[in-house]
Amino acid sequence: MGNRLSKIYTRTGDDGSTGLADGNRIAKNAQRVEAMGTADELNCHLGLLIECLDSNDPLLETLRRIQHHLFDLGGEFAIPGSQVIGADHIQWLEDTLDEHNADLPPLKNFILPGGSPAAAQCHMARAVCRRAERVVVALSHEDSINSAARQYLNRLSDLLFVMARVLARREGAEEILWEQKKSAL
């Protein structure tokens, strides 16, 4: 952190603008700020998921690493033109995804979010991750961004889906399959 805040409030955002890490100021409702905020929101959901798990859970290391990646991703959005997330991050997600998916039975239907408190929280994080991806796609139509950021979020949402399945099964919960007939009135 370049400048440490001795005061949390600065009053500089009272006009509806916020400062980027490069010193530029932009509107708080700008797509770039939305991308930073959604990455932060996703990180908070992962924090909640972590708190649902035992202190020796094998998923903790993976989730903490992802939290660091998301903080880096938010920083990347805060400095236009910067690139922190790269192909190695995406490869790590794919390898981790393959590892966790290997023991799961193939899906023959959509599943409803839930199964256990931890699995439900993981599904919540997945949904926020999908929103973050949509926000980043919208940002890419306005401004140049690192394409690896978008790819990272796409793979991360897949990993979170698989982790939710792992959590539900591990906690002895059944995956609730979506039944199209039940949605008919």
Side-chain angles (χ1 to χ4, degrees):
M1 231 161 72
N3 296 324
R4 297 207 179 260
L5 295 174
S6 57
K7 289 172 101 175
I8 298 302
Y9 63 91
T10 62
R11 297 187 177 122
T12 57
D14 290 351
D15 66 352
S17 69
T18 191
L20 296 177
D22 67 358
N24 287 315
R25 295 198 67 78
I26 62 173
K28 287 185 177 183
N29 66 342
Q31 204 65 41
R32 183 168 295 280
V33 177
E34 187 67 27
M36 293 181 327
T38 309
D40 183 37
E41 182 182 352
L42 173 55
N43 212 338
C44 291
H45 277 287
L46 291 180
L48 281 170
L49 174 57
I50 287 168
E51 294 306 315
C52 291
L53 303 177
D54 292 333
S55 62
N56 60 351
D57 193 294
L59 294 177
L60 287 177
E61 183 180 335
T62 298
L63 291 168
R64 289 272 187 230
R65 183 180 241 183
I66 293 167
Q67 282 193 300
H68 285 278
H69 292 172
L70 288 171
F71 206 88
D72 289 342
L73 185 63
E76 193 174 290
F77 297 141
I79 305 171
S82 70
Q83 294 187 357
V84 179
I85 299 298
D88 54 332
H89 293 87
I90 296 163
Q91 187 62 56
W92 176 80
L93 282 175
E94 289 175 355
D95 292 344
T96 304
L97 180 57
D98 290 342
E99 176 187 325
H100 289 295
N101 196 42
D103 294 330
L104 292 174
L107 277 177
K108 295 182 176 148
N109 205 343
F110 292 108
I111 61 172
L112 300 179
S116 73
Q121 182 57 42
C122 198
H123 278 293
M124 178 60 95
R126 174 194 50 79
V128 173
C129 188
R130 285 287 188 207
R131 179 161 38 91
E133 183 184 6
R134 292 189 303 272
V135 169
V136 170
V137 167
L139 174 59
S140 74
H141 292 292
E142 294 178 3
D143 205 350
S144 177
I145 63 151
N146 175 11
S147 63
R150 185 180 58 245
Q151 293 168 343
Y152 182 87
L153 290 168
N154 186 278
R155 295 309 180 289
L156 178 56
S157 64
D158 292 338
L159 175 59
L160 292 170
F161 176 77
V162 166
M163 289 175 94
R165 293 190 71 206
V166 166
L167 287 165
R169 289 184 157 314
R170 192 175 69 194
E171 295 176 20
E174 282 188 40
E175 291 179 324
I176 303 164
L177 298 178
W178 170 67
E179 298 175 36
Q180 187 173 12
K181 295 175 206 95
K182 287 200 176 186
S183 63
L185 297 176

